[in-house]
């Protein structure tokens, strides 16, 4: 790590060290990326220096799932959880600094996505009056700033939503900076709890970028594993269970009827669409048809790959050719998903993001470091075409710290 003389983010082009923090919809833990950033778009330069993932304690994860699945909670619980997660995010940031051997004093900025506990991208009727869309990421940034002493930027999504966007996806801005190519059309595909893609045509400008959530990533399979193992296992490591099963075509057809899949982009989804109720429906089908658990897991895994392939065929390939898919997120490590994608897209090269310098797990945390840097400089970082916003917006809220104490 190169030494910086001052931790301020200068406009002079001197590189700044920025931490990106994120916990995705899988709620598996807090990802921390240390990124060195300089310049400004389109020639912004950002390099991942280090990465660490800190798992959530089991009991915290359980509460997040309960709250995020719209099961019973209270304002007290949400308020307390907001501050507790602030502490855990700060702990993770400080742990990362120790591990990376970089003093927090040398970090100019911290970008924290927070933990999504509710996301409704499309406006819906509320209280019988106005239609409201809203989103809530928690993990109190004032606590993070106070504990780490680092200026913290958080709450990136609401500014886009206030401008009529869905507040998601936000990573495409960074995908564009990283992966645009003058000759090759490329797609960045991230398979987290939800799967999303960013399509960047050859020679694209930001206005040409199309991005949206394709549907479930690992969320449904994770829920099935938790169910069948009675909480002992939280995901299907290396698709061990899925690979013992077979595809249930009738179930797959049934699941593909979900109206989300044919909805046109811009679109985003979350636990509201593919959380508990969706899984209950799948389990009920399994019960009625006396299906084996491994067949249900196999079919849910195939659903992820099939809906990605389908989304590409419906919304991307008719407009512009794709030469390469750059895949990231925990689902990139699922061999059944990888095999199904390769089989469904025989003419497209699929490569892991690690082969372009960003490990599969690190990409989203990396992206929030870059988004924080852009916000700090007062530059918009949403792509209106991706989120549906009426105009570019400067994302996030800043918690300043008094550097002297
Ligand atoms: N070796 C693996 N085999 C299969 N699935 C994996 C593997 N490693 C990670 N995953 C999946 O990736 C998920 C975490 O992915 P992540 O990108 O962190 O998602 P999120 O952004 O939603 O937190 C895990 O819950 C699991 O389903
Ligand atoms: Mg995660």
């Amino acid at each position: 790590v190169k030494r910086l003389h001052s931790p301020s983010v200068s406009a002079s082009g001197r590189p700044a060290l920025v931490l990106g923090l994120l916990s995705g919809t899988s709620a598996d833990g807090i990802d921390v990326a240390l990124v060195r950033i300089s310049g400004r778009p389109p020639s912004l330069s950002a390099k991942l220096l280090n990465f660490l993932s800190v798992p959530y304690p089991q009991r915290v994860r359980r509460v997040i799932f309960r709250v995020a699945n719209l099961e019973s909670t209270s304002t007290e619980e949400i308020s307390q959880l907001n501050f507790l997660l602030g502490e855990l995010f700060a702990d993770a940031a400080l742990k990362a600094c120790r591990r990376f051997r970089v003093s927090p004093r040398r970090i100019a900025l911290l970008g924290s996505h927070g933990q999504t506990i509710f996301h409704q991208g499309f406006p819906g009727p509320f209280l019988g009056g106005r239609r409201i869309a809203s989103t809530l990421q928690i993990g109190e940034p004032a606590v993070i700033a106070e504990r780490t002493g680092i200026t913290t930027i958080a709450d990136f999504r609401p500014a886009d939503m206030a401008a009529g966007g869905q507040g998601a996806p936000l990573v495409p801005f960074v995908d564009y900076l990283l992966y645009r190519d003058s000759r090759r059309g490329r797609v960045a595909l991230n398979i987290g709890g939800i799967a999303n893609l960013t399509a960047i045509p050859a020679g694209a400008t930001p206005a040409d970028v199309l991005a949206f959530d394709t549907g479930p990533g690992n969320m449904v399979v994770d829920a099935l594993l938790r169910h069948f193992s009675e909480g002992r296992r939280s995901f299907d490591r290396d698709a061990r269970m899925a690979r013992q099963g077979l595809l249930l075509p009738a179930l797959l057809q049934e699941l593909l009827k979900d109206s989300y899949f044919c909805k046109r982009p811009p679109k985003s989804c979350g636990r509201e669409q593919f959380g508990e109720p969706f899984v209950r429906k799948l389990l009920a089908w399994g019960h009625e048809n006396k299906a084996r658990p491994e067949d249900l897991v196999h079919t849910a895994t195939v659903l992820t790959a099939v809906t990605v392939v389908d989304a590409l065929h419906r919304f991307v390939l008719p407009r512009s050719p794709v030469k390469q898919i750059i895949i990231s997120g925990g689902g990139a490590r699922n061999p059944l998903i990888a095999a199904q994608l390769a089989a469904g897209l025989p003419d497209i090269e699929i490569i892991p993001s690690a082969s372009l310098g960003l490990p599969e797990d690190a990409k989203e945390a990396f992206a929030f470091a870059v988004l924080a840097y852009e916000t700090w400089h007062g530059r918009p970082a949403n792509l209106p075409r991706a989120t549906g916003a009426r105009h570019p917006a400067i994302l996030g809220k800043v918690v300043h710290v008094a550097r002297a104490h």
Side-chain angles (χ1 to χ4, degrees), residues 5 34 39 68 102 118 122 187 205 207 237-239 351:
H5 297 292
L34 177 64
V102 52
F118 183 78
F122 287 108
V187 165
T205 68
R237 186 180 294 280
D238 303 331
I351 60 168

Side-chain angles (χ1 to χ4, degrees), residues 35-56:
V35 187
R36 190 177 60 212
I37 313 178
S38 60
R40 60 183 300 162
S43 53
L44 179 133
S45 138
K47 181 175 167 34
L48 179 74
L49 300 180
N50 228 320
F51 173 73
L52 177 70
S53 194
V54 183
Y56 275 135

Side-chain angles (χ1 to χ4, degrees), residues 283-366:
L283 286 170
W285 189 98
H287 191 73
E288 254 168 55
N289 295 277
K290 302 193 173 47
R292 298 184 306 163
E294 54 271 38
D295 295 342
L296 295 177
V297 171
H298 184 107
T299 304
T301 308
V302 170
L303 175 72
T304 295
V306 164
T307 50
V308 167
V309 172
D310 188 51
L312 282 165
H313 282 301
R314 267 185 220 248
F315 305 122
V316 178
L317 294 169
R319 297 175 45 244
S320 60
V322 175
K323 269 266 185 304
Q324 200 175 47
I325 295 180
I326 301 150
I327 182 170
S328 60
R333 294 221 226 92
N334 183 311
L336 181 58
I337 294 180
Q340 291 278 328
L341 287 175
L345 301 163
D347 302 328
I348 302 178
E349 181 190 21
I350 303 177
I351 60 168
S353 64
S355 68
L356 298 179
L358 259 187
E360 286 91 311
D361 305 329
K363 204 185 97 180
E364 299 223 299
F366 172 93

